[in-house]
Amino acid sequence: MQQIKHIYWRYRYFWKYAIFGFLAALVNVIAFWVLHSVMLEHYLFSNTIAWILATLFSFFTNKAVVFQSKSSSFWHWCREFGIFMITRGLSYFFDTFLMFVGISIFMWAPMLVKILDQVLVGIFNYGTSRLIFMEHNQKMLMRQQILKRFNK
């Protein structure tokens, strides 16, 4: 039991991100399906709207639940949001490229491409989200460790 707790604690951000990353991917896939398959919108338009919805969902869940990042000021929040959107913008281009190649070049089914795309994009997004939201927490942990050493 102690080993399980150790593994959970050591990889706690990954486990939380896996759950909320899956939910964000679900938001993305469902929004894409509704727009593309139900409303018959073009797949690139559907992909863009789905990306916007999933990205907003991801920002708030990653900040609040996964990495528990506390903004010290409005500007800190804006900085996190801006960097998050820039990195997710990079993943948007990767996402769109995969959709284009899978659907327009390989002629695969749009939903199959979307699901495969979300797995690959999710891995990239985990790494960038961890860097963005953990920066402030890492500084706080370092300060606490230094204070503990001086208080001994």
Side-chain angles (χ1 to χ4, degrees):
M1 188 64 170
Q2 190 67 18
Q3 185 71 17
I4 293 171
K5 284 182 182 180
H6 175 72
I7 290 172
Y8 169 77
W9 188 253
R10 183 167 186 205
Y11 299 105
R12 68 189 175 277
Y13 297 114
F14 175 77
W15 299 120
K16 289 179 188 178
Y17 187 84
I19 292 167
F20 287 97
F22 172 78
L23 292 174
L26 197 58
V27 166
N28 196 310
V29 169
I30 290 171
F32 178 81
W33 177 77
V34 167
L35 289 163
H36 182 67
S37 298
V38 176
M39 298 177 73
L40 304 176
E41 295 291 342
H42 189 271
Y43 77 90
L44 291 176
F45 174 78
S46 301
N47 187 56
T48 300
I49 300 303
W51 175 84
I52 291 169
L53 295 173
T55 300
L56 290 172
F57 175 84
S58 290
F59 175 76
F60 292 107
T61 57
N62 282 339
K63 180 169 178 52
V65 180
V66 178
F67 301 111
Q68 299 172 345
S69 174
K70 307 279 191 269
S71 296
S72 55
S73 69
F74 175 72
W75 296 113
H76 182 260
W77 184 91
C78 289
R79 181 177 172 269
E80 281 183 337
F81 184 75
I83 294 170
F84 185 85
M85 293 308 287
I86 288 169
T87 59
R88 289 299 167 101
L90 295 173
S91 72
Y92 168 73
F93 288 116
F94 181 52
D95 182 344
T96 302
F97 173 76
L98 291 173
M99 294 294 289
F100 176 77
V101 169
I103 295 170
S104 294
I105 295 176
F106 291 141
M107 303 294 182
W108 293 346
M111 288 306 294
L112 171 67
V113 176
K114 187 62 178 168
I115 291 168
L116 292 173
D117 161 78
Q118 286 302 291
V119 171
L120 296 174
V121 170
I123 294 167
F124 174 80
N125 287 342
Y126 172 72
T128 57
S129 294
R130 185 173 168 98
L131 289 174
I132 293 165
F133 295 116
M134 292 299 290
E135 174 193 0
H136 182 69
N137 291 344
Q138 292 294 345
K139 289 177 185 176
M140 292 299 290
L141 287 172
M142 189 180 303
R143 288 181 193 138
Q144 288 173 354
Q145 289 173 353
I146 290 170
L147 288 173
K148 282 181 186 178
R149 288 183 186 149
F150 284 121
N151 290 333
K152 287 184 178 180

